[in-house]
Amino acid sequence: MNQEVLAAKKQQVEEIKAKITSAKSIVLVDYMGLTVAQDTAFRKELRENGVDYAVLKNRLVKIAFNELGYTQFDEALNGPTAVAFSSTDAVAPAKFIFKNIKALNKMKTKCGMVEGEFMDEAGLKKIADIPSKEVLIAKMLGSMQSPLTKLAMCLKQIAEQKEQQA
C-alpha cells in the first residue's frame, strides 16, 4: 500500500479516535432506505442540534474503537453504517435518530455508547425516551414550587381571617 494512503488512513483513524474520546454519546446507524431528500433533512436536524453525523469506513471506525479498548462494536460494524457523535448532549443523537426512524419507518440503530458505556439498541431506546434537560428542569421546578404556592395561599388565608376578626 502506498505510504501516502497509509498515512492518510492513520490520520483518519486518529480523527475518529478524537471524536470518540470527546463524545458524550455515539450512535451507530444502518441508514439504508433513506432518499437523498430525507437524508439531507435528517443531517440538517442533527447538525442543528449539535450532533456530528457521518458515513465512515467500518474498518477505520473498528480500528479506532479497538485502539481505545472498545471491542463491543466489532459485530455492528458490518454493512452500511453511519455514526452520530455528540460532545455536548448525551441524549441528542439517540433522541433524534429514534424520532426519525419512527417518522420515516426507515433506518435502524445498531448500538452506541453513552458517557463511555456501551449500549445495545434497547439501551439506546431508553436513553432516547428521557425527556430533554429543559423539560426535566421545568418538572423539578414545578414540583418545588407547588408546596411553596400552597403554603403562601394558606398563610394568605390565615392573614385574611385575622384581618376580618380584628
Side-chain angles (χ1 to χ4, degrees), residues 24-65:
K24 287 188 176 186
S25 179
I26 301 168
V27 178
L28 276 61
V29 181
D30 179 343
Y31 59 90
M32 291 305 291
L34 290 182
T35 65
V36 173
Q38 289 169 332
D39 186 56
T40 303
F42 178 61
R43 286 174 184 261
K44 182 178 184 246
E45 181 179 11
L46 289 172
R47 201 172 30 255
E48 288 170 352
N49 288 284
V51 178
D52 183 18
Y53 177 82
V55 176
L56 303 169
K57 292 194 177 290
N58 286 340
R59 194 166 119 70
L60 299 179
V61 175
K62 184 176 181 178
I63 291 168
F65 273 123

Side-chain angles (χ1 to χ4, degrees), residues 7-153:
K9 289 188 183 219
K10 284 184 180 181
Q11 177 62 34
Q12 287 177 323
V13 168
E14 291 304 315
E15 289 170 6
I16 295 168
K17 283 171 54 177
K19 286 182 177 185
I20 293 169
T21 54
S22 68
K24 287 188 176 186
S25 179
I26 301 168
V27 178
L28 276 61
V29 181
D30 179 343
Y31 59 90
M32 291 305 291
L34 290 182
T35 65
V36 173
Q38 289 169 332
D39 186 56
T40 303
F42 178 61
R43 286 174 184 261
K44 182 178 184 246
E45 181 179 11
L46 289 172
R47 201 172 30 255
E48 288 170 352
N49 288 284
V51 178
D52 183 18
Y53 177 82
V55 176
L56 303 169
K57 292 194 177 290
N58 286 340
R59 194 166 119 70
L60 299 179
V61 175
K62 184 176 181 178
I63 291 168
F65 273 123
N66 287 337
E67 285 183 6
L68 292 170
Y70 299 109
T71 56
Q72 311 94 315
F73 295 91
D74 290 359
E75 192 175 310
L77 289 166
N78 293 310
T81 307
V83 186
F85 300 93
S86 178
S87 58
T88 57
D89 188 343
V91 178
K95 184 174 285 306
F96 291 108
I97 288 168
F98 275 100
K99 182 180 108 180
N100 278 282
I101 287 172
K102 191 175 184 180
L104 301 171
N105 203 19
K106 295 178 181 172
M107 298 189 303
K108 181 182 184 319
T109 56
K110 293 183 174 189
C111 61
M113 184 167 60
V114 177
E115 300 287 350
E117 184 180 331
F118 175 81
M119 296 201 162
D120 60 6
E121 184 178 14
L124 289 172
K125 178 76 172 119
K126 287 179 186 173
I127 294 294
D129 290 339
I130 294 174
S132 70
K133 183 178 178 180
E134 293 78 17
V135 170
L136 291 174
I137 290 171
K139 284 182 178 183
M140 183 185 73
L141 289 175
S143 65
M144 289 172 55
Q145 283 180 327
S146 179
L148 293 174
T149 303
K150 289 178 183 174
L151 176 64
M153 288 189 322

